[in-house]
Amino acid sequence: MNKPAELPLQAAPEVGRSRPHESAALHVAGRAHYTDDIVEPAGTLHAALGLSPVPHGVIESLDLARVRAMPGVVGVFSAADIPGTNDCGPLVHDDPILAGTAAEAGPVGPVGATLRYRGQPVFVVVARTRDEARRAAALAPQVIRARRLPALLTAEQAHAAGQYVVPPMHLVRGDAAAAIAAAPRRLRTRFTVGGQEQFYLEGQISLAVPADDHGMTVFCSTQHPSEMQLVVSHALGVAAHAVRVECRRMGGGFGGKESQSAAFACIAAVAAARLRAPVKLRLDRDDDFLVTGRRHGFVYEAELGHDDEGRILGAEITMLSNAGHSADLSGPVMTRALCHFDNAYWLPHVAVHGYSCRTNTQSNTAFRGFGGPQGAIAIEMLLDSVARRCGLDPLAVRRANFYGPSEGGERHVTPYGQVVEDNIVEPLVAQLVAQSRWSARRQAIAAFNAGSPVLKRGLALVPLKFGISFNVTHLNQAGALVHVYTDGSVLVNHGGTEMGQGLNTKVAQVVAHELGLPLERVRCSATDTGKIANTSATAASTGSDLNGKAAQAAARTIRERLERFKADHPQHAALPWDALVQQAYLARVQLWSDGFYATPGLHWDKARLQGRPFHYFAYGAAVSEVVVDTLTGEHRLLAADIVHDAGTSLNPAIDIGQVEGAFVQGMGWLTMEELVWHPDDGSARAGLLMTHAPSTYKIPTANDAPAVFRTTLFDAPNRVDSIHRSKAVGEPPLLLPISVLLAIRDAVSAVGGHAVCPPLDAPATPEAVLRAVQAVREGRGACA
């Protein structure tokens, strides 16, 4: 990296400081503007969706005239009214915006089209008010007549039927079957992990405003404005330059607004184009649940061989994911799950098989961690069982299997062929073990359990190694614009989106630091496809890495111009920043610049699942202590100790907030957030997602956070040239609460004196815990 020029103004360094979120005061005061807060243009109309009343079937008739006759309705549109392409699939073009394809559409619109899941949008109602639109859309079960077909609602059903959204994947190193057969000990098990709703506070919403010359401006709550630009242009049948997408901020995303905001942007834009009027589409929470997908639930069947010290000699696992009715991002999610099965461990012989199963449910999508948590939890469950069967400390088993140093030997290469060059898991875990008093607490918990017949305590430590980069190489790029105005203030626009994670704060810190300015002189504007073209999604924990580097490059260009101006005009060399900028402007020095960054050194063979998909790895570890009531199945997290690797943190306060937020969110996934579909029994509720509202779907609250919550950032710079040697911190900590699930498993195991492995699936709801307690009492373990 080139050495930066001397700062125009020597201010306190901004990078590395714990600064508050740039919109914190606005959030607290309720003055932060989201898409729904945009002042509606005159004549704005409101849209609502008519949803499929069956999980699988064929439309035989559609009485839209009845819907059009409802009060306030000004338009009703189906797939036949989409002027361009009826598809919003991000990778595979298999996801209709509204039910029906060009091949299926008949003279009466989507009659004859296949309905793929209960809740699929079939038509859109546009009315003068939102309430009028919703009342008309509520007629869907009465106006849609469908011939029912059998529905596949689980991954197991789809796997048995050979139904997949993408071809199966196989990641293989060595001969796993032979290694398992020759091992002194063998273990076979099956377990499941449920899906998870993103539950962003701001639901899906788009406001489409027609512009001149067939243009369209879409204000959208999305993590991927450029993708929204393209799918809207395809739906309207216009060029991308005719569509502008803007997003100032989101009220949460967590992956749920990466690809799945597309359908709503397209529907609003199509309706606006047809009516030549602004159209807003804002889903209520129930419809959001019923229409959109979420984190993939997984089913695992695993077998491994190990020695008496718990070292894994061979492992083979089959992973089934519930992909839903279309591909969406299920392929990349499964790829990342396969690439994170190793987590922090050397697996000499391994075979991982991934099947993305097509079901008649909502199409599942990105969620914080993007398959990484589903991959890593499998090896952690297996190691937990190995330790229990061998009567060993689970920490000792984990340490025996850690990746080795990269200086020699072969214990530093992942199953997909990437060398682990930055391995810090052992010193990080050692720090956590000391800080958390691991050994003393294990002894104290054993003594407690020996004297407590009802309440049982459990303790678990889980490390993580998480690869950072999109596993699609070309997405690892970003652009930015930096403008210095004549009063010395600075405006930054970059391709990332702000969803509460503090990206704009960090990027502003990077620019302020580069120019030698106080943070208050720098402002980030809304993400806008009219300013930064061809952006990647704000996802895969790359937001700060990519956009920070791009903004730094733009700011550095301006800084170097100012330094050259000072060198050419010595009389201005001692001027303060504002005066220097004024003089540079008068001398016609360009005071704005673009910046671009592409992550170096990445390559990936999609067919062989081999290469270097990640720029670096982030590490971390957590110790969780729980108490379980064996009469009710309820549990409480008593304490969590975390050491997490953020490299040289850009903003420690924001990073610690991200770590703790991810921990609580992941704890919800593994302990309480349960998705339940009504079985396909031919009833009126067949295929209905029963947990589609806050009344039936429970997420963790502040009361579920542990009373003792200690988080420390590991003090070590990133070894690669990331932005100021920092590391991504959005997704990796989602793996830390696996320790909560394993602590519950440890407590349940204590019921039987740790003689059997508890058959505890996730989420570990009270009902699931009680089933596991009963199984342990009866001597029925999870492993053979």
Side-chain angles (χ1 to χ4, degrees), residues 1-5 15 478-482 492-494 506-515 522 543-560 593-597 650 721-726:
M1 184 172 62
N2 294 332
K3 183 180 179 181
V15 165
L481 289 173
V482 174
V492 183
N493 189 273
H494 58 85
K506 287 185 173 181
V507 172
Q509 284 180 275
V510 167
V511 171
H513 187 91
E514 193 68 28
L515 297 176
V522 181
S544 296
D545 279 5
L546 296 178
N547 296 287
K549 276 286 195 179
Q552 182 189 52
R556 181 161 296 176
T557 299
I558 297 171
R559 169 175 166 161
E560 289 171 349
S593 180
D594 63 319
F596 180 78
Y597 177 73
L650 295 175
D721 181 25
S722 59
I723 183 69
H724 288 282
R725 302 286 173 169
S726 64

Side-chain angles (χ1 to χ4, degrees), residues 173-532:
R173 174 167 65 189
D175 190 338
I180 293 169
R185 295 191 179 208
R186 291 182 291 279
L187 179 151
R188 178 179 291 175
T189 188
R190 179 186 182 279
F191 54 95
T192 64
V193 173
Q196 183 182 22
E197 171 62 35
Q198 286 92 355
F199 217 108
Y200 25 68
L201 294 181
E202 175 201 34
Q204 300 279 2
I205 179 170
S206 287
L207 168 63
V209 181
D212 62 356
D213 196 21
H214 304 289
M216 187 68 64
T217 300
V218 181
F219 301 93
C220 183
S221 184
T222 180
Q223 296 172 238
H224 202 343
S226 285
E227 184 175 304
M228 300 307 103
Q229 178 190 30
L230 289 175
V231 294
V232 168
S233 72
H234 294 160
L236 295 179
V238 300
H241 67 212
V243 178
R244 184 172 70 87
V245 176
E246 180 180 310
C247 178
R248 173 63 184 92
R249 60 170 62 85
M250 287 167 277
F254 308 115
K257 296 175 181 177
E258 180 175 347
S259 62
Q260 299 221 342
S261 49
F264 313 108
C266 290
I267 289 169
V270 166
R274 300 285 304 206
L275 297 170
R276 300 308 300 167
V279 173
K280 179 189 281 189
L281 172 58
R282 175 168 64 87
L283 269 64
D284 64 11
R285 184 65 63 182
D286 292 81
D287 283 354
D288 202 318
F289 267 80
L290 293 173
V291 175
T292 65
R294 44 201 58 87
R295 185 188 297 280
H296 298 68
F298 270 56
V299 178
Y300 308 87
E301 293 185 357
E303 185 175 12
L304 59 78
H306 61 93
D307 63 17
D308 292 338
E309 285 72 44
R311 284 186 288 265
I312 295 178
L313 305 176
E316 184 161 12
I317 186 167
T318 296
M319 302 183 183
L320 310 180
S321 77
N322 185 340
H325 74 95
S326 67
D328 197 86
L329 295 171
S330 294
V333 165
M334 180 57 77
T335 300
R336 189 170 280 266
L338 268 58
C339 289
H340 282 76
F341 172 63
D342 64 321
N343 195 19
Y345 310 107
W346 159 249
L347 305 176
H349 297 275
V350 60
V352 191
H353 313 289
Y355 297 86
S356 300
C357 303
R358 186 188 301 276
T359 62
N360 295 113
T361 63
Q362 295 83 0
S363 189
N364 289 322
T365 187
F367 196 124
R368 194 175 191 174
F370 202 78
Q374 292 99 312
I377 195 173
I379 193 66
E380 294 298 339
M381 291 283 280
L382 291 169
L383 287 173
D384 186 70
S385 296
V386 166
R388 208 170 308 281
R389 296 182 86 201
C390 292
L392 298 171
D393 183 337
L395 174 58
V397 171
R398 285 180 167 82
R399 279 178 153 161
N401 286 285
F402 278 166
Y403 274 107
S406 59
E407 289 76 23
E410 60 177 359
R411 294 177 57 89
H412 61 278
V413 181
T414 66
Y416 46 90
Q418 179 163 347
V419 176
V420 182
E421 299 171 316
D422 56 0
N423 187 3
I424 56 171
V425 67
E426 178 54 50
L428 186 149
V429 167
Q431 178 178 325
L432 177 63
V433 168
Q435 289 181 193
S436 65
R437 301 170 37 254
W438 166 262
S439 297
R441 287 169 69 184
R442 275 183 61 80
Q443 294 174 7
I445 287 171
F448 174 89
N449 289 339
S452 177
V454 174
L455 298 180
K456 299 292 184 182
R457 290 193 176 188
L459 189 72
L461 183 153
V462 168
L464 71 88
K465 173 183 69 65
F466 195 94
I468 303 299
S469 288
F470 287 101
N471 51 14
V472 178
T473 302
H474 73 265
L475 296 178
N476 295 283
Q477 58 176 295
L481 289 173
V482 174
H483 293 176
V484 176
Y485 294 100
T486 55
D487 66 350
S489 62
V490 181
L491 184 69
V492 183
N493 189 273
H494 58 85
T497 53
E498 174 63 53
M499 61 194 91
Q501 83 279 38
L503 174 59
N504 282 346
T505 308
K506 287 185 173 181
V507 172
Q509 284 180 275
V510 167
V511 171
H513 187 91
E514 193 68 28
L515 297 176
L517 296 173
L519 181 60
E520 292 71 24
R521 303 302 303 273
V522 181
R523 174 187 177 95
C524 287
S525 62
T527 311
D528 187 338
T529 59
K531 294 182 179 178
I532 308 296

Side-chain angles (χ1 to χ4, degrees), residues 649-732:
S649 173
L650 295 175
N651 187 317
I654 284 179
D655 284 348
I656 289 173
Q658 285 289 291
V659 171
E660 294 182 345
F663 186 91
V664 173
Q665 187 174 48
M667 180 180 69
W669 166 49
L670 295 173
T671 64
M672 67 180 68
E673 299 185 40
E674 187 174 27
L675 296 161
V676 178
W677 283 266
H678 195 284
D680 183 23
D681 58 0
S683 69
R685 289 189 172 188
L688 177 65
L689 177 63
M690 304 297 289
T691 49
H692 59 82
S695 58
T696 51
Y697 185 86
K698 297 302 182 184
I699 64 172
T701 68
N703 290 333
D704 297 297
V708 178
F709 205 169
R710 294 178 284 248
T711 302
T712 303
L713 297 182
F714 190 67
D715 186 16
N718 197 341
R719 296 189 187 182
V720 304
D721 181 25
S722 59
I723 183 69
H724 288 282
R725 302 286 173 169
S726 64
K727 285 191 177 183
V729 76
E731 293 179 307

